[in-house]
Amino acid sequence: MIRRARPFGSGSLLVYLLALVAVIVTLGPVVYGALGGFRSNEQLARDPSGLPDPWVFSNYTAVLTKEAFWRYALNSSIVALITTAVAVLFGVMAAYPLARYQFKAREPLFMVFVLGLLFPAAVAIIPLFILVTRDLHMANSWWGVALPQAAFALPITVVILRPFLMAIPKELEEAALMDGASRIGIFWRLVIPLSVPALVTVGVLAFVTSWNAYLLPLLLLQDDMRTLPLGVADYSSEHSSDTAGVLAFTTLAMIPALILFLAMQRRIVSGLQGAVKG
Amino acid sequence: MIDEDVDTSTASAPLGGATPRAVRRVAPRPVGSGWRQRLEIAFFVTPALALMTVFVVWPVVAAVRMSFYRWKGFGPMDDFIGIDNYRYVLTDEVFTDAVTHNFIIVFASIVIQLPLGLAVALLLDRKIRGRGLIRTIVFVPYVVAEVIAGVVWYQLLQPESGVIDGLISAVGLTPPEQGFLGTPNLALATVFVVLTWKYLGLAILLFLAGLQGVPTDLYEAAQLDGASWWQVQRRIAIPLLGPTIRTWCFLSMIGSLQLFDMVWILTGGGPANATTTMATYLVNQGTGRHNYGIAGAASVILFVIGFLMALVYQVFVLRRDTAVER
């Protein structure tokens, strides 16, 4: 995105000062958590806001050598990957006819997805719990959490993807149609490759949402199947006196989503922008 | 060719005869529409609709049904009690307080987070060094899981041993004895502060994205006419940001009504129900006490409130945007 300089462009000292305050307030708790993990409980108790002195690495190594941590991380990854794959594939498939075909039910069908945005997972959570555990026998499994999460991620996926698919030049598809390609062939060989940037945006959103999810995994997953947020919450309540350990655990649990976000930042921003402009 | 030909056809409507739309529809499509097109649409849309039906629509319908029964979660659901669950929920002070808390958060978000987010976005829209980095940083809390952010803030807010109490003592004030989360009068406000920390970055990012759509010429013209920075922001930037602001308000309202994770971690709804929300209430009634019928009624009420709010907002506020922009 090319941006010309705005008038009133140069920042004054006050602007920098305010920006600094914003940065400190934003990063403060995160940095506190990361640094706190390098301190001992005794250091934390003596001076809650000090720097590590000396630096203690045992909290982090203790978490990293804990088998449970890796199992939770593995569960989080697999659940998030399944959620993302299902939401992106089904989402782009649904968005395609909504963007490209002319049929009577098109707008009503799109409204179904828009309305889906309004359904908080909390409303459906208890029947969902009963459905997954009793009827589908998928309690305590990766798919049991990933499928409902994908279903709840679908509305935003479709809403973001539709305008993007509309913007793909129609001439490309027309040419392929002339050459005798089928609609479904065009979808796989033309539309999917062309929409990779948008798919990455919705994919990252679905992944981060799933990685961070709490309520549904809380109800559906026990013991070895738990995900990192559940592990963090449990660890925090079980080892409430081991503040440094809790902080090390939380810091490590934050890292994957942060890295993914930093790597994909641009695309998330442009995706959100598209969503806002509808 | 297939799509969005409405605009072009009206714009270039010829004098009588076949509209270009009709011509264009026939020409480039080798395969006729009809059953074949219907099959293709079904192929593309069915997986998503099936998934949503099973995991979104069905559970919501089941919640509505459940709300008319007295059911503890075991045995058949056969004790139909009509609207008793609704009567119970609506007269339960804990629930009505929860609704109040949700609305306080909705209101506070718009009154406090909106101006704050707007101010930071307008500042960051200026050409300053490290703008990209700052923009990334303010978005970091949004990426951190609510639960994980909650756990860190919980530590920060611990009475005595927490950093916040330390900072407050350092400037010569006395922190509340039970801590910010343990004092009923302060707990909800504290939760709101943490939520603001977590979600302000999203507002800033959306507003910055919206500001990029404001043509630079407008600023230049205004500046040539001698307008001050603030006048330009107030008369040009903020009005043009209208659609983005209204969309943000909508997302924020829906999010505030659904508030769960942060409250659950920070206070669990306490102290003395001072921070219960509709979502913590229904989870507590459902999975905590196995009053599934009551939980069902609470979720139906939560949905109806959200739906009505969305409807009113759509009719009175968002309609302007769709009318103007399309």
Side-chain angles (χ1 to χ4, degrees):
Chain A
M1 197 164 297
I2 301 156
R3 231 185 104 105
R4 275 183 295 158
R6 298 250 193 261
F8 309 107
S10 57
S12 65
L13 193 63
L14 184 69
V15 176
Y16 281 106
L17 209 66
L18 288 170
L20 187 69
V21 171
V23 166
I24 291 172
V25 171
T26 305
L27 282 189
V30 178
V31 171
Y32 168 80
L35 287 179
F38 285 110
R39 306 172 74 199
S40 65
N41 284 313
E42 190 266 330
Q43 288 181 32
L44 279 166
R46 187 155 26 89
D47 176 15
S49 49
L51 284 170
D53 178 34
W55 288 65
V56 178
F57 294 92
S58 58
N59 300 310
Y60 283 105
T61 50
V63 175
L64 288 173
T65 50
K66 212 174 282 186
E67 205 197 319
F69 175 82
W70 294 104
R71 214 165 34 228
Y72 296 160
L74 178 76
N75 291 334
S76 284
S77 314
I78 295 178
V79 169
L81 283 175
I82 302 176
T83 305
T84 308
V86 174
V88 171
L89 178 66
F90 288 13
V92 70
M93 284 175 72
Y96 181 61
L98 292 173
R100 272 297 196 261
Y101 284 63
Q102 196 72 265
F103 56 104
K104 244 189 247 160
R106 193 173 88 153
E107 293 312 307
L109 199 58
F110 182 62
M111 275 314 288
V112 170
F113 289 101
V114 174
L115 274 178
L117 283 176
L118 284 179
F119 284 94
V123 168
I125 200 73
I126 287 156
L128 199 54
F129 167 71
I130 296 169
L131 171 79
V132 173
T133 42
R134 293 195 199 163
D135 304 332
L136 302 174
H137 303 290
M138 295 205 298
N140 226 15
S141 74
W142 293 324
W143 287 90
V145 176
L147 288 181
Q149 280 182 357
F152 278 93
L154 270 174
I156 189 76
T157 309
V158 172
V159 168
I160 292 180
L161 284 180
R162 183 165 108 133
F164 187 91
L165 294 184
M166 279 177 163
I168 293 178
K170 285 162 199 151
E171 290 74 15
L172 290 173
E173 282 165 77
E174 280 166 24
L177 272 178
M178 292 293 207
D179 291 345
S182 71
R183 269 283 169 187
I184 290 164
I186 290 175
F187 176 74
W188 289 114
R189 273 180 261 137
L190 202 74
V191 176
I192 295 259
L194 283 175
S195 46
V196 164
L199 298 183
V200 171
T201 305
V202 291
V204 171
L205 284 180
F207 189 93
V208 171
T209 310
S210 169
W211 183 274
N212 290 345
Y214 179 59
L215 180 53
L216 193 65
L218 175 72
L219 298 187
L220 287 177
L221 301 175
Q222 283 94 38
D223 308 321
D224 281 359
M225 292 304 293
R226 283 178 300 185
T227 53
L228 270 179
L230 301 184
V232 169
D234 286 352
Y235 194 87
S236 151
S237 52
E238 281 161 22
H239 303 79
S240 52
S241 57
D242 178 18
T243 312
V246 171
L247 292 175
F249 197 132
T250 41
T251 303
L252 289 171
M254 272 183 213
I255 289 174
L258 277 181
I259 290 177
L260 189 68
F261 161 68
L262 290 177
M264 298 293 170
Q265 220 219 113
R266 269 242 165 80
R267 295 199 157 147
I268 299 179
V269 174
S270 58
L272 286 172
Q273 214 169 336
V276 169
K277 286 178 182 164
Chain B
M1 51 145 196
I2 305 159
D3 171 55
E4 293 221 274
D5 37 14
V6 185
D7 290 351
T8 44
S9 65
T10 46
S12 60
L15 313 157
T19 62
R21 180 178 176 179
V23 175
R24 291 168 72 219
R25 285 195 80 168
V26 182
R29 185 106 67 90
V31 192
S33 41
W35 67 269
R36 169 138 196 183
Q37 179 181 319
R38 253 172 259 152
L39 256 177
E40 288 168 4
I41 294 170
F43 168 81
F44 283 122
V45 174
T46 306
L49 282 185
L51 199 69
M52 279 180 68
T53 309
V54 173
F55 292 108
V56 181
V57 178
W58 188 86
V60 171
V61 173
V64 175
R65 198 173 101 86
M66 202 164 71
S67 69
F68 294 107
Y69 290 82
R70 180 182 288 121
W71 192 50
K72 284 284 190 180
F74 43 83
M77 193 164 79
D78 52 10
D79 192 1
F80 184 85
I81 52 167
I83 58 163
D84 277 10
N85 286 325
Y86 289 90
R87 205 173 289 148
Y88 176 88
V89 169
L90 289 171
T91 52
D92 183 357
E93 219 171 278
V94 178
F95 185 78
T96 49
D97 283 354
V99 179
T100 316
H101 299 151
N102 279 116
F103 275 102
I104 290 174
I105 301 284
V106 170
F107 181 74
S109 304
I110 291 171
V111 177
I112 296 169
Q113 289 175 359
L114 175 60
L116 204 59
L118 205 52
V120 178
L122 291 176
L123 284 177
L124 288 183
D125 194 45
R126 310 179 107 194
K127 214 173 91 188
I128 60 172
R129 251 169 228 256
R131 188 177 57 193
L133 184 67
I134 299 169
R135 203 185 316 192
T136 304
I137 288 171
V138 294
F139 199 60
V140 161
Y142 183 73
V143 185
V144 174
E146 227 174 280
V147 174
I148 293 178
V151 167
V152 173
W153 275 96
Y154 183 80
Q155 299 292 348
L156 290 171
L157 288 163
Q158 280 300 298
E160 289 177 37
S161 67
V163 175
I164 305 282
D165 276 15
L167 288 174
I168 285 177
S169 315
V171 291
L173 297 168
T174 333
E177 209 172 298
Q178 308 294 320
F180 282 93
L181 294 171
T183 312
N185 288 334
L186 295 173
L188 191 65
T190 310
V191 170
F192 178 75
V193 169
V194 179
L195 285 171
T196 304
W197 173 82
K198 175 96 174 63
Y199 288 103
L200 199 66
L202 179 67
I204 294 170
L205 204 76
L206 291 177
F207 296 155
L208 278 173
L211 282 172
Q212 300 211 321
V214 180
T216 318
D217 315 13
L218 278 179
Y219 290 121
E220 279 160 5
Q223 199 179 16
L224 282 178
D225 289 346
S228 71
W229 181 81
W230 171 238
Q231 280 174 324
V232 172
Q233 304 307 317
R234 197 165 63 95
R235 296 281 164 82
I236 300 173
I238 296 177
L240 284 173
L241 215 47
T244 314
I245 291 175
R246 289 188 280 274
T247 309
W248 175 83
C249 285
F250 181 70
L251 293 176
S252 166
M253 276 163 43
I254 297 294
S256 305
L257 286 182
Q258 303 174 1
L259 194 58
F260 176 82
D261 295 6
M262 191 62 88
V263 174
W264 199 249
I265 293 294
L266 286 180
T267 64
N273 292 317
T275 57
T276 12
T277 65
M278 288 186 273
T280 66
Y281 179 88
L282 79 89
V283 170
N284 196 12
Q285 286 286 355
T287 56
R289 303 192 204 173
H290 299 283
N291 293 326
Y292 288 107
I294 293 172
S299 35
V300 171
I301 295 167
L302 164 56
F303 176 69
V304 169
I305 292 176
F307 186 76
L308 288 179
M309 251 168 95
L311 205 67
V312 169
Y313 197 74
Q314 176 70 37
V315 169
F316 289 102
V317 185
L318 288 179
R319 172 153 294 178
R320 287 174 54 176
D321 300 331
T322 35
V324 172
E325 284 192 348
R326 305 226 167 129

